[in-house]
Amino acid sequence: MNYDELINFKWGSKPQGKIKRKHLAKKWMFIKPDVGNLSPAPQIPFCSFNIVPYFGGYPSGFSKYEYCAWGTPRKIENAKLMGFTHFSFSGAGDLHNFHNYFLVKPSKDSVDVIKENYSLNGFDLVTPVYTIKTIVNGRCAYYKIISNENITLIPGFSGLTTKRYKSRIVNAHIKQNEKSFNINVDYSFLYLYWRVKIIKGDIVKVTESEITLSREAEFIISFSTYSEEDANSIIPTFNKTEAINKWQSYFKVFDVKESSNYKKLFYTALMFALKKPYIYDDEHIYDFATMWDVYKTLLPLIFLFYKKEASIITNNMLKLVNEDGRFYHANLFSIKKPVLSDQAICLINISLSTAAQYGVEFDKELAKKLQRNEIEYYLHNLDKLERTTYLLDLCDAITAYYNAYKIDLGLNKVKELINKAFEQDKVYLDKTSTYYEGNYSNYSFRVSSSTIYRLDNKAALNKALDKFFGFRGRNTHRFFKPVSTPVSVKVYMKHCKRFEGLNNEPDMESMYLYSYLGNYEKQNKVIRDVVENSFSLNNNGVPGNDDNGGLSSWLTFNLLGIFPIVGTNKIKVGLPFLSEVKAGNLIIKRHGEPRLYKYEKVLFNNKELDNNELTAEQVLKGGILDVYLK
């Protein structure tokens, strides 16, 4: 199968702006930046190394838009192609240390792009000044450039070029050996060893910070985080077809039996999802930035369908433990110490318990010990859990730990903590607490391993959900222009307590709370409206920051028609958008028109499913899931 023909490589690279939203979506709250922050830069799965057509915009370098925290970002005036860099994030937000390194400039001035063609292993661009062909595999970037001007390589280049963020050039130590170069660069938060091998073309000039090549040149760049020798050893392994072969092996885990836009959207979302997290096991570099973005959907996707990578990820999570026995929750692609994030208390803990229930192979005895240490630490230091959401993190860690290992570290305490976190009716979280990237309503309908402990008042919960998703209430206002201060946003959020429409991740799983209430029709109505209103195959087809695969993996699951409840072995049945697909060993068939969303019946291996949910074991073992709609 030619997957290049199915994928929109520029998906999520433009803001949605004033798109017309229908039905429930008119009543949702879209306040965060409405752009996916994605780039067509080719790279192999779980690998950070890519080739970025660099326009300098926030935050990928490929973007032509300014930094924006609320609303639709402004376009940079006269944004033109400056050259090509490496290592940009896939859908990251404001992480400050931007991965745009080693600038290749085929012309002294920025240029327009006349023609462009992207694929899984590279791209071709035509400009008024030069043509360029690139190929990327795991650790190598191949360039073939024909230009009207000399070609400049600036290995110490780092950063962005927007009004808020400025690029910079740091010192590079360049050593030449005939037509090869070893280059060592300290970017302050990452040290890279580069290797450049000139295949064709002349070396015009070498200075302390630049290499100038002739107008027609062909060369390969490789890197290592360890040593010059490692960087040198990589170039002989360069293989032009490696990226295509790797992507095909990952895509073949799923076999979509139809030709439709949903099929194209599925493989597009899957491709962007599998760019993260970065795994360089041979150099002990892993990027779990940030766990908050990936623990609900991206990691469960990997744990279910990519066992080798799941094993590497989980075993290396066990190494991210600080002196208090707690886990570091964000390990950037960096030489800096990992981050102990208050925003992500217990999330690695929850993820490890999820992996254990999914049958991932890792050191479970060590995991049980380290996870227990962290849970017991917070149980004895509840004063450190400043936000009610942190109380939920701990509740989820305790219940997930029990689900995984059948060891009770405080299930009775979970009930107490939930009573403390929620208002008396257990519908809304404490309205006086502090919330990040949302308000109390966004977090109140979180679906997780501890959800079962807060279902006492189902009638009130169902009523609140109806209001949250817009089954009741007026249309909402949204910010189309960037807002310089969050004050107006916070005031609006205080009054508009609605679903963010996947514009952000705090409430991305909330529609599945309806399934705990037996209200599958409304669950599926929300899912349909999210997919139809928030996603498309267009360049502006992602509703908000993809957050390192958080949104793209959400879409991957929901197009399949299944969804993981993190910390449990429950896989909820949703609304299949594909008529038939083989996902690993599981075959999912949708019976009925694509526009339908009411269940007639849901069968697994010809037997009615209890609560319309599978177990992870059933998904892994395989069978046939038949979803009949009416």
Side-chain angles (χ1 to χ4, degrees):
M1 185 185 299
N2 187 351
Y3 293 103
D4 283 343
E5 295 178 354
L6 297 174
I7 294 168
N8 177 10
F9 293 94
K10 296 177 75 173
W11 191 61
S13 63
K14 286 187 176 181
Q16 292 190 326
K18 296 184 180 181
I19 64 172
K20 293 182 179 179
R21 300 185 184 274
K22 303 177 292 183
H23 313 306
L24 291 178
K26 290 182 178 180
K27 301 179 180 182
W28 296 341
M29 177 177 62
F30 293 87
I31 58 172
K32 296 288 286 182
D34 58 352
V35 60
N37 292 335
L38 294 171
S39 162
Q43 65 194 69
I44 66 171
F46 306 110
C47 175
S48 68
F49 193 61
N50 52 26
I51 308 174
V52 185
Y54 185 80
F55 293 87
Y58 170 86
S60 68
F62 174 77
S63 176
K64 300 179 183 180
Y65 297 89
E66 284 283 357
Y67 168 85
C68 177
W70 316 97
T72 298
R74 292 188 182 95
K75 192 170 185 179
I76 298 171
E77 293 182 14
N78 302 317
K80 293 187 176 183
L81 183 63
M82 303 179 198
F84 305 87
T85 59
H86 302 277
F87 288 103
S88 77
F89 269 111
S90 171
D94 188 5
L95 294 179
H96 305 293
N97 295 333
F98 294 95
H99 296 191
N100 298 96
Y101 308 137
F102 203 122
L103 181 64
V104 175
K105 283 181 66 68
S107 63
K108 64 180 184 297
D109 298 319
S110 299
V111 296
D112 293 314
V113 176
I114 297 173
K115 187 178 179 181
E116 55 191 337
N117 179 53
Y118 296 95
S119 69
L120 287 168
N121 72 331
F123 56 82
D124 304 303
L125 293 179
V126 178
T127 77
V129 180
Y130 59 85
T131 62
I132 182 167
K133 178 180 179 63
T134 72
I135 298 172
V136 66
N137 68 2
R139 305 280 279 279
C140 296
Y142 163 88
Y143 288 86
K144 182 178 182 180
I145 305 172
I146 300 175
S147 178
N148 297 335
E149 303 174 14
N150 285 339
I151 301 160
T152 305
L153 311 184
I154 309 175
F157 181 88
S158 174
L160 298 176
T161 53
T162 66
K163 292 177 183 177
R164 182 180 173 109
Y165 298 103
K166 301 299 180 185
S167 60
R168 62 194 180 97
I169 298 176
V170 299
N171 291 330
H173 302 283
I174 301 173
K175 295 186 292 186
Q176 182 179 355
N177 181 13
E178 297 182 351
K179 285 203 168 185
S180 294
F181 297 90
N182 280 107
I183 308 164
N184 306 336
V185 186
D186 183 356
Y187 298 96
S188 77
F189 45 83
L190 180 66
Y191 200 100
L192 289 178
Y193 300 88
W194 298 98
R195 171 78 166 178
V196 179
K197 179 181 180 181
I198 312 301
I199 300 171
K200 183 178 180 180
D202 298 320
I203 299 167
V204 177
K205 184 173 63 173
V206 180
T207 68
E208 290 183 358
S209 59
E210 294 184 2
I211 300 169
T212 304
L213 304 178
S214 57
R215 298 180 180 184
E216 185 172 342
E218 194 174 343
F219 54 93
I220 298 177
I221 300 173
S222 67
F223 84 96
S224 171
T225 60
Y226 259 26
S227 67
E228 288 183 7
E229 290 74 19
D230 286 347
N232 294 346
S233 67
I234 293 167
I235 283 185
T237 69
F238 177 72
N239 184 322
K240 292 184 179 182
T241 62
E242 181 183 2
I244 293 176
N245 292 339
K246 283 226 172 184
W247 277 115
Q248 286 182 342
S249 68
Y250 283 93
F251 287 151
K252 285 178 180 177
V253 171
F254 301 92
D255 184 13
V256 180
K257 306 289 187 180
E258 64 179 66
S259 296
S260 67
N261 280 343
Y262 287 136
K263 178 178 182 176
K264 294 178 180 178
L265 190 57
F266 175 81
Y267 282 111
T268 297
L270 180 63
M271 188 271 286
F272 279 103
L274 295 183
K275 287 187 174 185
K276 293 290 295 244
Y278 305 150
I279 302 171
Y280 293 98
D281 200 41
D282 57 332
E283 297 198 350
H284 308 293
I285 295 289
Y286 314 95
D287 188 344
F288 302 121
T290 60
M291 283 298 297
W292 171 246
D293 299 330
V294 301
Y295 89 107
K296 293 179 183 177
T297 53
L298 178 58
L299 291 181
L301 181 72
I302 297 167
F303 294 165
L304 274 178
F305 297 110
Y306 300 98
K307 290 300 183 184
K308 177 183 176 182
E309 289 72 21
S311 180
I312 294 171
I313 289 168
T314 48
N315 275 308
N316 284 285
M317 281 180 175
L318 297 176
K319 298 175 184 177
L320 294 176
V321 180
N322 76 348
E323 59 273 13
D324 293 320
R326 294 170 292 162
F327 290 102
Y328 291 107
H329 299 107
N331 185 19
L332 302 177
F333 190 81
S334 170
I335 58 174
K336 285 189 173 181
K337 192 176 183 180
V339 178
L340 182 64
S341 169
D342 287 338
Q343 188 193 359
I345 289 171
C346 292
L347 299 191
I348 281 184
N349 203 315
I350 297 164
S351 294
L352 288 168
S353 292
T354 305
Q357 294 174 81
Y358 285 16
V360 176
E361 292 185 5
F362 61 101
D363 190 341
K364 293 183 179 63
E365 291 305 313
L366 177 60
K368 278 195 281 189
K369 177 183 175 182
L370 296 177
Q371 288 179 253
R372 181 173 192 145
N373 287 344
E374 179 174 66
I375 289 170
E376 291 180 342
Y377 173 89
Y378 283 117
L379 282 172
H380 289 96
N381 294 274
L382 290 175
D383 59 305
K384 295 186 179 294
L385 304 178
E386 299 170 355
R387 298 179 183 176
T388 56
T389 52
Y390 302 164
L391 294 176
L392 290 188
D393 291 340
L394 180 56
C395 290
D396 288 343
I398 294 169
T399 52
Y401 191 89
Y402 178 79
N403 292 339
Y405 309 117
K406 298 300 180 258
I407 299 173
D408 184 355
L409 298 182
L411 292 178
N412 288 332
K413 192 69 175 179
V414 168
K415 299 174 185 178
E416 178 185 324
L417 294 175
I418 284 179
N419 287 335
K420 182 179 179 180
F422 281 85
E423 300 281 322
Q424 190 172 2
D425 61 2
K426 290 189 184 177
V427 172
Y428 288 108
L429 286 166
D430 179 4
K431 297 172 185 176
T432 65
S433 184
T434 302
Y435 297 92
Y436 179 74
E437 295 189 331
N439 55 40
Y440 69 84
S441 63
N442 297 100
Y443 288 89
S444 291
F445 308 116
R446 177 171 169 175
V447 184
S448 58
S449 55
S450 65
T451 295
I452 58 173
Y453 290 95
R454 49 163 298 227
L455 299 176
D456 298 347
N457 197 346
K458 290 186 177 181
L461 190 55
N462 197 83
K463 187 176 179 180
L465 268 181
D466 285 352
K467 184 178 180 181
F468 180 68
F469 284 115
F471 288 101
R472 299 184 295 120
R474 296 177 295 177
N475 294 349
T476 60
H477 165 77
R478 75 154 300 181
F479 296 95
F480 288 112
K481 293 183 179 180
V483 180
S484 58
T485 170
V487 173
S488 57
V489 174
K490 289 182 178 179
V491 170
Y492 180 62
M493 290 170 66
K494 186 176 180 180
H495 296 286
C496 181
K497 304 173 185 66
R498 294 287 180 81
F499 176 50
E500 291 190 21
L502 260 70
N503 192 228
N504 202 20
E505 74 276 359
D507 49 17
M508 64 192 302
E509 78 284 4
S510 296
M511 63 286 296
Y512 286 94
L513 188 54
Y514 273 126
S515 72
Y516 286 81
L517 307 175
N519 202 337
Y520 304 108
E521 182 178 333
K522 286 184 176 176
Q523 167 195 285
N524 291 347
K525 183 73 169 68
V526 175
I527 294 170
R528 176 163 300 289
D529 276 21
V530 173
V531 173
E532 289 185 345
N533 286 278
S534 294
F535 293 97
S536 74
L537 264 173
N538 300 328
N539 295 352
N540 67 347
V542 181
N545 185 0
D546 184 50
D547 275 333
N548 302 298
L551 295 193
S552 49
S553 55
W554 182 97
L555 184 60
T556 300
F557 270 121
N558 280 279
L559 289 174
L560 290 172
I562 56 176
F563 191 84
I565 304 303
V566 69
T568 77
N569 70 344
K570 299 180 187 296
I571 309 293
K572 292 288 185 181
V573 176
L575 184 67
F577 286 81
L578 303 164
S579 59
E580 184 177 343
V581 58
K582 188 173 185 291
N585 296 318
L586 179 67
I587 296 172
I588 304 168
K589 295 182 179 182
R590 188 199 72 234
H591 304 269
E593 294 299 319
R595 297 286 176 182
L596 299 176
Y597 53 84
K598 299 178 183 178
Y599 292 142
E600 180 179 324
K601 56 184 176 180
V602 178
L603 306 178
F604 180 65
N605 291 337
N606 292 319
K607 293 182 179 180
E608 198 100 23
L609 268 183
D610 292 334
N611 302 317
N612 292 338
E613 64 186 26
L614 297 162
T615 65
E617 293 86 349
Q618 287 172 319
V619 172
L620 292 165
K621 186 176 180 180
I624 300 176
L625 175 66
D626 289 291
V627 181
Y628 291 84
L629 302 172
K630 61 180 179 180

